[in-house]
Amino acid sequence: MKFENILNDNQDGILTITINRPSKLNALNRDTIQELHQAFQDAESDEYVKVIILTGSGEKAFVAGADISEFSDFSPEEGKELAAKGQEILFDYVDNFPKPVIAAVNGFALGGGLELALAAHFRVASENAKMGLPEVSLGVIPGYGGTQRLPQIVGKGRAMEMIMTAGMIDASQALQYNLVNHVTTQDELLEFTHQMASKIAGNSLVAIKSAIKAVNANYEDGVNGFEIEIEEFGRCFGTADFREGTTAFLNKRKADFPGE
Ligand code: COA
């Protein structure tokens, strides 16, 4: 599939997916969401993709939200369908993606843009980044998981404040809120994130897949995360990566994981 709204660049197994509608501040229209879904699906089955970095094109925005022009005349049923489909094909998919996903937030991350960053496994931001969930200023609420993931990450009170005020926080406040793990200059954002991705890629991606599943189990209703951890822990013992990792350690050499 040829993409029109995103760019893909794989360097040494680190796939950078750039949302590329800078004239609309990379707002997520239907096509862009579909293309992102496709890009993630391709990345899932591509053995040459180890870690994914999600970012926005241009100097101003990561993603300035869902494309408001597309849903301003929707009925309640259409609104519900928009949220349900988006959550299924992109936001939940990214959150549960079996390979690490890092959001490199390079500017405005608003509404669906912040929700996309929240769905990533963790976030790095540049100093100029601004984050918020402005939906109630439009008469709607976050529909791509923001009411659930923001409180999980920053705590209920801060999430309530951000959602109710519809305001933006800057990168240093986002760091203080643990909404982002690191803040860099605008110039250094991608290189910094890439270095972190490379470090991750040197570990066992089979074990990381299990770790993602176990960590996410903590946020699933009716699921006992400790039991999932035990199951995944046991599963690791049957992998070639585990044999390589432990053998390499005992032989005082660096592990070269086969990825199985
Ligand atoms: N949906 C559709 N178009 C959007 C958009 C969105 N979420 N965010 C920005 N755009 C478009 C603008 O309409 C404008 O298009 P135009 O040049 O054809 O008129 C273009 O992107 C540039 O945005 P502009 O508003 O001129 O930039 P700015 O620097 O003055 O303001 C923002 C930047 C981010 C403060 C402002 O664009 C904004 O508030 N966007 C909407 C944020 C939002 O509410 N998102 C949640 C959606 S649920």
Side-chain angles (χ1 to χ4, degrees):
M1 178 174 171
K2 194 175 166 328
F3 297 126
E4 294 189 348
N5 301 290
I6 60 175
L7 304 170
N8 268 349
D9 177 34
N10 188 339
Q11 278 179 38
D12 302 324
I14 315 296
L15 176 68
T16 302
I17 302 178
T18 305
I19 299 149
N20 187 33
R21 295 180 77 212
S23 67
K24 295 291 175 193
L25 302 185
N26 305 322
L28 294 176
N29 60 0
R30 200 187 316 253
D31 289 349
T32 307
I33 289 180
Q34 193 56 51
E35 288 184 14
L36 282 167
H37 170 73
Q38 186 62 49
F40 272 92
Q41 225 171 25
D42 295 348
E44 186 171 357
S45 55
D46 185 345
E47 61 175 309
Y48 297 109
V49 173
K50 295 180 170 172
V51 180
I52 294 170
I53 297 173
L54 257 181
T55 195
S57 132
E59 303 203 325
K60 219 169 149 183
F62 173 72
V63 170
D67 193 318
I68 299 167
S69 66
E70 273 191 352
F71 60 72
S72 56
D73 60 353
F74 271 15
S75 68
E77 290 71 29
E78 288 171 314
K80 203 171 156 186
E81 169 66 19
L82 179 76
K85 178 142 192 247
Q87 288 194 20
E88 184 197 332
I89 70 169
L90 185 59
F91 297 81
D92 291 351
Y93 188 33
V94 169
D95 197 354
N96 295 304
F97 202 67
K99 300 177 183 183
V101 183
I102 311 171
V105 180
N106 58 309
F108 289 114
L110 302 174
L114 179 55
E115 290 172 299
L116 186 59
L118 291 168
H121 297 135
F122 63 89
R123 291 145 291 283
V124 178
S126 53
E127 288 162 341
N128 62 313
K130 289 219 158 43
M131 284 156 259
L133 291 177
E135 284 85 349
V136 300
S137 72
L138 298 164
V140 68
I141 67 167
Y144 288 144
T147 65
Q148 305 304 296
R149 292 193 182 97
L150 188 63
Q152 285 167 0
I153 294 168
V154 305
K156 183 175 171 183
R158 284 169 171 166
M160 283 288 198
E161 182 180 329
M162 284 178 70
I163 291 168
M164 289 176 186
T165 61
M168 296 184 209
I169 60 170
D170 63 15
S172 64
Q173 197 163 10
L175 186 63
Q176 203 195 323
Y177 276 15
N178 296 326
L179 179 50
V180 301
N181 292 8
H182 305 275
V183 175
T184 71
T185 63
Q186 209 174 354
D187 285 349
E188 286 165 344
L189 177 68
L190 284 183
E191 197 187 321
F192 178 90
T193 314
H194 208 276
Q195 273 172 14
M196 189 170 276
S198 297
K199 190 172 178 197
I200 292 171
N203 293 320
S204 163
L205 293 164
V206 175
I208 286 177
K209 178 179 171 181
S210 283
I212 292 169
K213 197 169 169 192
V215 172
N216 280 349
N218 187 35
Y219 303 98
E220 279 174 51
D221 274 347
V223 172
N224 183 331
F226 290 95
E227 279 173 14
I228 302 291
E229 182 182 281
I230 291 166
E231 232 173 76
E232 293 300 319
F233 181 79
R235 188 193 306 279
C236 292
F237 285 69
T239 66
D241 272 17
F242 175 74
R243 280 192 300 284
E244 166 61 12
T246 48
T247 306
F249 178 81
L250 295 173
N251 289 322
K252 301 192 187 304
R253 64 169 172 80
K254 197 174 171 318
D256 181 12
F257 291 107
E260 296 159 30

PDB file of all heavy atoms in Angstrom, residues 22-25 27 60 64-69 71 108 110-112 134-135 137-138 140 168, ligand 1:
ATOM      1  N   PRO A  22       1.586  18.248   7.436  1.00  0.00           N
ATOM      2  CA  PRO A  22       1.981  19.430   8.210  1.00  0.00           C
ATOM      3  C   PRO A  22       1.061  20.641   8.005  1.00  0.00           C
ATOM      4  O   PRO A  22       0.872  21.428   8.934  1.00  0.00           O
ATOM      5  CB  PRO A  22       3.402  19.722   7.738  1.00  0.00           C
ATOM      6  CG  PRO A  22       3.613  18.908   6.523  1.00  0.00           C
ATOM      7  CD  PRO A  22       2.664  17.767   6.548  1.00  0.00           C
ATOM      8  N   SER A  23       0.445  20.750   6.823  1.00  0.00           N
ATOM      9  CA  SER A  23      -0.417  21.926   6.604  1.00  0.00           C
ATOM     10  C   SER A  23      -1.666  21.865   7.487  1.00  0.00           C
ATOM     11  O   SER A  23      -2.310  22.876   7.744  1.00  0.00           O
ATOM     12  CB  SER A  23      -0.812  22.033   5.130  1.00  0.00           C
ATOM     13  OG  SER A  23      -1.651  20.959   4.794  1.00  0.00           O
ATOM     14  N   LYS A  24      -1.998  20.676   7.978  1.00  0.00           N
ATOM     15  CA  LYS A  24      -3.136  20.519   8.907  1.00  0.00           C
ATOM     16  C   LYS A  24      -2.619  20.118  10.294  1.00  0.00           C
ATOM     17  O   LYS A  24      -3.340  19.471  11.067  1.00  0.00           O
ATOM     18  CB  LYS A  24      -4.119  19.455   8.391  1.00  0.00           C
ATOM     19  CG  LYS A  24      -4.798  19.826   7.094  1.00  0.00           C
ATOM     20  CD  LYS A  24      -5.781  20.975   7.287  1.00  0.00           C
ATOM     21  CE  LYS A  24      -6.370  21.438   5.961  1.00  0.00           C
ATOM     22  NZ  LYS A  24      -7.087  22.728   6.086  1.00  0.00           N
ATOM     23  N   LEU A  25      -1.392  20.489  10.559  1.00  0.00           N
ATOM     24  CA  LEU A  25      -0.745  20.140  11.832  1.00  0.00           C
ATOM     25  C   LEU A  25      -0.882  18.644  12.155  1.00  0.00           C
ATOM     26  O   LEU A  25      -1.062  18.250  13.297  1.00  0.00           O
ATOM     27  CB  LEU A  25      -1.291  21.008  12.979  1.00  0.00           C
ATOM     28  CG  LEU A  25      -1.127  22.528  12.779  1.00  0.00           C
ATOM     29  CD1 LEU A  25      -1.584  23.278  14.030  1.00  0.00           C
ATOM     30  CD2 LEU A  25       0.303  22.900  12.445  1.00  0.00           C
ATOM     31  N   ALA A  27      -3.209  16.587  11.690  1.00  0.00           N
ATOM     32  CA  ALA A  27      -4.491  16.119  12.257  1.00  0.00           C
ATOM     33  C   ALA A  27      -4.841  14.749  11.672  1.00  0.00           C
ATOM     34  O   ALA A  27      -4.593  14.464  10.495  1.00  0.00           O
ATOM     35  CB  ALA A  27      -5.600  17.123  11.960  1.00  0.00           C
ATOM     36  N   LYS A  60       6.156  22.090  14.107  1.00  0.00           N
ATOM     37  CA  LYS A  60       5.115  22.644  14.967  1.00  0.00           C
ATOM     38  C   LYS A  60       4.295  21.606  15.724  1.00  0.00           C
ATOM     39  O   LYS A  60       3.896  21.845  16.860  1.00  0.00           O
ATOM     40  CB  LYS A  60       4.166  23.439  14.061  1.00  0.00           C
ATOM     41  CG  LYS A  60       3.672  24.711  14.686  1.00  0.00           C
ATOM     42  CD  LYS A  60       2.970  25.573  13.672  1.00  0.00           C
ATOM     43  CE  LYS A  60       1.893  26.365  14.360  1.00  0.00           C
ATOM     44  NZ  LYS A  60       1.122  27.176  13.452  1.00  0.00           N
ATOM     45  N   ALA A  64      -2.195  17.512  15.934  1.00  0.00           N
ATOM     46  CA  ALA A  64      -3.075  18.495  16.603  1.00  0.00           C
ATOM     47  C   ALA A  64      -4.492  17.969  16.793  1.00  0.00           C
ATOM     48  O   ALA A  64      -5.431  18.757  16.910  1.00  0.00           O
ATOM     49  CB  ALA A  64      -3.080  19.810  15.831  1.00  0.00           C
ATOM     50  N   GLY A  65      -4.646  16.651  16.800  1.00  0.00           N
ATOM     51  CA  GLY A  65      -5.960  16.092  17.131  1.00  0.00           C
ATOM     52  C   GLY A  65      -6.585  15.319  16.002  1.00  0.00           C
ATOM     53  O   GLY A  65      -6.022  15.204  14.906  1.00  0.00           O
ATOM     54  N   ALA A  66      -7.766  14.800  16.301  1.00  0.00           N
ATOM     55  CA  ALA A  66      -8.567  14.200  15.236  1.00  0.00           C
ATOM     56  C   ALA A  66      -8.966  15.342  14.300  1.00  0.00           C
ATOM     57  O   ALA A  66      -9.035  16.500  14.724  1.00  0.00           O
ATOM     58  CB  ALA A  66      -9.802  13.547  15.830  1.00  0.00           C
ATOM     59  N   ASP A  67      -9.225  15.009  13.036  1.00  0.00           N
ATOM     60  CA  ASP A  67      -9.570  16.053  12.066  1.00  0.00           C
ATOM     61  C   ASP A  67     -11.010  16.518  12.308  1.00  0.00           C
ATOM     62  O   ASP A  67     -11.968  15.823  11.975  1.00  0.00           O
ATOM     63  CB  ASP A  67      -9.394  15.518  10.641  1.00  0.00           C
ATOM     64  CG  ASP A  67      -9.428  16.652   9.625  1.00  0.00           C
ATOM     65  OD1 ASP A  67     -10.284  17.554   9.777  1.00  0.00           O
ATOM     66  OD2 ASP A  67      -8.603  16.639   8.695  1.00  0.00           O
ATOM     67  N   ILE A  68     -11.117  17.713  12.878  1.00  0.00           N
ATOM     68  CA  ILE A  68     -12.424  18.227  13.308  1.00  0.00           C
ATOM     69  C   ILE A  68     -13.371  18.378  12.111  1.00  0.00           C
ATOM     70  O   ILE A  68     -14.577  18.178  12.236  1.00  0.00           O
ATOM     71  CB  ILE A  68     -12.241  19.575  14.056  1.00  0.00           C
ATOM     72  CG1 ILE A  68     -11.373  19.362  15.298  1.00  0.00           C
ATOM     73  CG2 ILE A  68     -13.593  20.178  14.449  1.00  0.00           C
ATOM     74  CD1 ILE A  68     -10.864  20.639  15.958  1.00  0.00           C
ATOM     75  N   SER A  69     -12.785  18.692  10.943  1.00  0.00           N
ATOM     76  CA  SER A  69     -13.652  18.921   9.772  1.00  0.00           C
ATOM     77  C   SER A  69     -14.396  17.659   9.346  1.00  0.00           C
ATOM     78  O   SER A  69     -15.404  17.732   8.667  1.00  0.00           O
ATOM     79  CB  SER A  69     -12.820  19.456   8.595  1.00  0.00           C
ATOM     80  OG  SER A  69     -11.917  18.463   8.167  1.00  0.00           O
ATOM     81  N   PHE A  71     -15.815  15.317  11.422  1.00  0.00           N
ATOM     82  CA  PHE A  71     -16.893  14.783  12.275  1.00  0.00           C
ATOM     83  C   PHE A  71     -17.855  15.835  12.803  1.00  0.00           C
ATOM     84  O   PHE A  71     -18.729  15.530  13.612  1.00  0.00           O
ATOM     85  CB  PHE A  71     -16.315  13.941  13.424  1.00  0.00           C
ATOM     86  CG  PHE A  71     -15.383  14.675  14.356  1.00  0.00           C
ATOM     87  CD1 PHE A  71     -15.857  15.625  15.256  1.00  0.00           C
ATOM     88  CD2 PHE A  71     -14.018  14.403  14.348  1.00  0.00           C
ATOM     89  CE1 PHE A  71     -14.993  16.289  16.121  1.00  0.00           C
ATOM     90  CE2 PHE A  71     -13.141  15.069  15.203  1.00  0.00           C
ATOM     91  CZ  PHE A  71     -13.628  16.009  16.083  1.00  0.00           C
ATOM     92  N   PHE A 108       2.769  20.273  19.100  1.00  0.00           N
ATOM     93  CA  PHE A 108       1.425  20.077  19.648  1.00  0.00           C
ATOM     94  C   PHE A 108       1.028  18.595  19.637  1.00  0.00           C
ATOM     95  O   PHE A 108       1.119  17.926  18.600  1.00  0.00           O
ATOM     96  CB  PHE A 108       0.383  20.818  18.810  1.00  0.00           C
ATOM     97  CG  PHE A 108       0.433  22.322  18.945  1.00  0.00           C
ATOM     98  CD1 PHE A 108       0.789  23.123  17.871  1.00  0.00           C
ATOM     99  CD2 PHE A 108       0.095  22.937  20.157  1.00  0.00           C
ATOM    100  CE1 PHE A 108       0.822  24.506  17.997  1.00  0.00           C
ATOM    101  CE2 PHE A 108       0.122  24.317  20.281  1.00  0.00           C
ATOM    102  CZ  PHE A 108       0.494  25.101  19.205  1.00  0.00           C
ATOM    103  N   LEU A 110      -2.390  17.204  20.745  1.00  0.00           N
ATOM    104  CA  LEU A 110      -3.689  17.609  21.296  1.00  0.00           C
ATOM    105  C   LEU A 110      -4.744  16.578  20.937  1.00  0.00           C
ATOM    106  O   LEU A 110      -4.691  15.949  19.879  1.00  0.00           O
ATOM    107  CB  LEU A 110      -4.088  18.970  20.705  1.00  0.00           C
ATOM    108  CG  LEU A 110      -3.086  20.109  20.960  1.00  0.00           C
ATOM    109  CD1 LEU A 110      -3.522  21.370  20.211  1.00  0.00           C
ATOM    110  CD2 LEU A 110      -2.954  20.395  22.450  1.00  0.00           C
ATOM    111  N   GLY A 111      -5.724  16.429  21.800  1.00  0.00           N
ATOM    112  CA  GLY A 111      -6.836  15.524  21.508  1.00  0.00           C
ATOM    113  C   GLY A 111      -6.335  14.154  21.075  1.00  0.00           C
ATOM    114  O   GLY A 111      -5.531  13.526  21.769  1.00  0.00           O
ATOM    115  N   GLY A 112      -6.791  13.720  19.897  1.00  0.00           N
ATOM    116  CA  GLY A 112      -6.384  12.417  19.370  1.00  0.00           C
ATOM    117  C   GLY A 112      -4.869  12.289  19.246  1.00  0.00           C
ATOM    118  O   GLY A 112      -4.333  11.181  19.275  1.00  0.00           O
ATOM    119  N   PRO A 134      -8.254  19.002  24.436  1.00  0.00           N
ATOM    120  CA  PRO A 134      -9.161  20.160  24.357  1.00  0.00           C
ATOM    121  C   PRO A 134     -10.609  19.831  24.002  1.00  0.00           C
ATOM    122  O   PRO A 134     -11.406  20.741  23.756  1.00  0.00           O
ATOM    123  CB  PRO A 134      -8.527  21.013  23.244  1.00  0.00           C
ATOM    124  CG  PRO A 134      -7.767  20.064  22.409  1.00  0.00           C
ATOM    125  CD  PRO A 134      -7.413  18.873  23.242  1.00  0.00           C
ATOM    126  N   GLU A 135     -10.969  18.535  24.011  1.00  0.00           N
ATOM    127  CA  GLU A 135     -12.279  18.141  23.464  1.00  0.00           C
ATOM    128  C   GLU A 135     -13.467  18.869  24.075  1.00  0.00           C
ATOM    129  O   GLU A 135     -14.412  19.219  23.378  1.00  0.00           O
ATOM    130  CB  GLU A 135     -12.482  16.620  23.607  1.00  0.00           C
ATOM    131  CG  GLU A 135     -11.696  15.792  22.604  1.00  0.00           C
ATOM    132  CD  GLU A 135     -10.268  15.484  23.027  1.00  0.00           C
ATOM    133  OE1 GLU A 135      -9.794  16.082  24.028  1.00  0.00           O
ATOM    134  OE2 GLU A 135      -9.615  14.658  22.365  1.00  0.00           O
ATOM    135  N   SER A 137     -13.764  21.739  24.994  1.00  0.00           N
ATOM    136  CA  SER A 137     -13.930  23.085  24.427  1.00  0.00           C
ATOM    137  C   SER A 137     -14.684  23.017  23.097  1.00  0.00           C
ATOM    138  O   SER A 137     -15.112  24.034  22.556  1.00  0.00           O
ATOM    139  CB  SER A 137     -12.574  23.772  24.232  1.00  0.00           C
ATOM    140  OG  SER A 137     -11.864  23.171  23.156  1.00  0.00           O
ATOM    141  N   LEU A 138     -14.831  21.790  22.563  1.00  0.00           N
ATOM    142  CA  LEU A 138     -15.576  21.587  21.310  1.00  0.00           C
ATOM    143  C   LEU A 138     -16.939  20.948  21.595  1.00  0.00           C
ATOM    144  O   LEU A 138     -17.673  20.599  20.673  1.00  0.00           O
ATOM    145  CB  LEU A 138     -14.791  20.663  20.374  1.00  0.00           C
ATOM    146  CG  LEU A 138     -13.428  21.142  19.901  1.00  0.00           C
ATOM    147  CD1 LEU A 138     -12.633  19.975  19.310  1.00  0.00           C
ATOM    148  CD2 LEU A 138     -13.572  22.248  18.870  1.00  0.00           C
ATOM    149  N   VAL A 140     -17.329  17.981  23.177  1.00  0.00           N
ATOM    150  CA  VAL A 140     -17.239  16.522  23.093  1.00  0.00           C
ATOM    151  C   VAL A 140     -16.210  16.072  24.139  1.00  0.00           C
ATOM    152  O   VAL A 140     -15.641  16.919  24.835  1.00  0.00           O
ATOM    153  CB  VAL A 140     -16.887  16.132  21.619  1.00  0.00           C
ATOM    154  CG1 VAL A 140     -15.486  16.568  21.228  1.00  0.00           C
ATOM    155  CG2 VAL A 140     -17.090  14.648  21.353  1.00  0.00           C
ATOM    156  N   MET A 168      -3.524  23.391  27.820  1.00  0.00           N
ATOM    157  CA  MET A 168      -2.313  22.676  27.372  1.00  0.00           C
ATOM    158  C   MET A 168      -1.259  22.769  28.466  1.00  0.00           C
ATOM    159  O   MET A 168      -1.173  23.782  29.155  1.00  0.00           O
ATOM    160  CB  MET A 168      -1.728  23.345  26.130  1.00  0.00           C
ATOM    161  CG  MET A 168      -2.615  23.296  24.930  1.00  0.00           C
ATOM    162  SD  MET A 168      -1.708  24.036  23.532  1.00  0.00           S
ATOM    163  CE  MET A 168      -3.091  24.665  22.565  1.00  0.00           C
TER     164      MET A 168
HETATM  165  N1  COA B   1      -8.558  19.217  12.792  1.00  0.00           N
HETATM  166  C1  COA B   1      -8.601  19.769  11.561  1.00  0.00           C
HETATM  167  N2  COA B   1      -7.773  20.740  11.169  1.00  0.00           N
HETATM  168  C2  COA B   1      -6.856  21.179  12.056  1.00  0.00           C
HETATM  169  C3  COA B   1      -6.752  20.654  13.349  1.00  0.00           C
HETATM  170  C4  COA B   1      -7.652  19.612  13.709  1.00  0.00           C
HETATM  171  N3  COA B   1      -7.623  19.036  14.909  1.00  0.00           N
HETATM  172  N4  COA B   1      -5.763  21.297  14.001  1.00  0.00           N
HETATM  173  C5  COA B   1      -5.259  22.179  13.136  1.00  0.00           C
HETATM  174  N5  COA B   1      -5.908  22.123  11.968  1.00  0.00           N
HETATM  175  C6  COA B   1      -5.671  22.913  10.741  1.00  0.00           C
HETATM  176  C7  COA B   1      -6.252  24.318  10.862  1.00  0.00           C
HETATM  177  O1  COA B   1      -7.623  24.305  10.567  1.00  0.00           O
HETATM  178  C8  COA B   1      -5.414  25.051   9.837  1.00  0.00           C
HETATM  179  O2  COA B   1      -5.903  24.732   8.537  1.00  0.00           O
HETATM  180  P1  COA B   1      -6.089  25.883   7.422  1.00  0.00           P
HETATM  181  O3  COA B   1      -4.719  26.457   7.245  1.00  0.00           O
HETATM  182  O4  COA B   1      -6.586  25.147   6.224  1.00  0.00           O
HETATM  183  O5  COA B   1      -7.059  26.863   7.997  1.00  0.00           O
HETATM  184  C9  COA B   1      -4.045  24.410   9.974  1.00  0.00           C
HETATM  185  O6  COA B   1      -4.277  23.146  10.582  1.00  0.00           O
HETATM  186  C10 COA B   1      -3.084  25.187  10.849  1.00  0.00           C
HETATM  187  O7  COA B   1      -3.690  25.397  12.110  1.00  0.00           O
HETATM  188  P2  COA B   1      -3.874  26.836  12.780  1.00  0.00           P
HETATM  189  O8  COA B   1      -5.023  26.762  13.729  1.00  0.00           O
HETATM  190  O9  COA B   1      -3.909  27.903  11.737  1.00  0.00           O
HETATM  191  O10 COA B   1      -2.496  26.958  13.599  1.00  0.00           O
HETATM  192  P3  COA B   1      -2.236  27.825  14.901  1.00  0.00           P
HETATM  193  O11 COA B   1      -0.768  27.810  15.104  1.00  0.00           O
HETATM  194  O12 COA B   1      -2.918  29.149  14.815  1.00  0.00           O
HETATM  195  O13 COA B   1      -2.926  27.019  16.091  1.00  0.00           O
HETATM  196  C11 COA B   1      -3.502  25.038  17.347  1.00  0.00           C
HETATM  197  C12 COA B   1      -2.442  25.765  16.483  1.00  0.00           C
HETATM  198  C13 COA B   1      -2.986  23.630  17.577  1.00  0.00           C
HETATM  199  C14 COA B   1      -3.627  25.777  18.694  1.00  0.00           C
HETATM  200  C15 COA B   1      -4.858  25.021  16.622  1.00  0.00           C
HETATM  201  O14 COA B   1      -4.663  24.543  15.311  1.00  0.00           O
HETATM  202  C16 COA B   1      -5.907  24.161  17.275  1.00  0.00           C
HETATM  203  O15 COA B   1      -6.468  24.567  18.295  1.00  0.00           O
HETATM  204  N6  COA B   1      -6.242  22.995  16.684  1.00  0.00           N
HETATM  205  C17 COA B   1      -7.294  22.149  17.138  1.00  0.00           C
HETATM  206  C18 COA B   1      -6.870  21.400  18.383  1.00  0.00           C
HETATM  207  C19 COA B   1      -7.998  20.538  18.889  1.00  0.00           C
HETATM  208  O16 COA B   1      -8.999  21.008  19.378  1.00  0.00           O
HETATM  209  N7  COA B   1      -7.801  19.220  18.783  1.00  0.00           N
HETATM  210  C20 COA B   1      -8.724  18.263  19.327  1.00  0.00           C
HETATM  211  C21 COA B   1      -9.618  17.747  18.282  1.00  0.00           C
HETATM  212  S1  COA B   1     -10.797  16.626  18.967  1.00  0.00           S
END
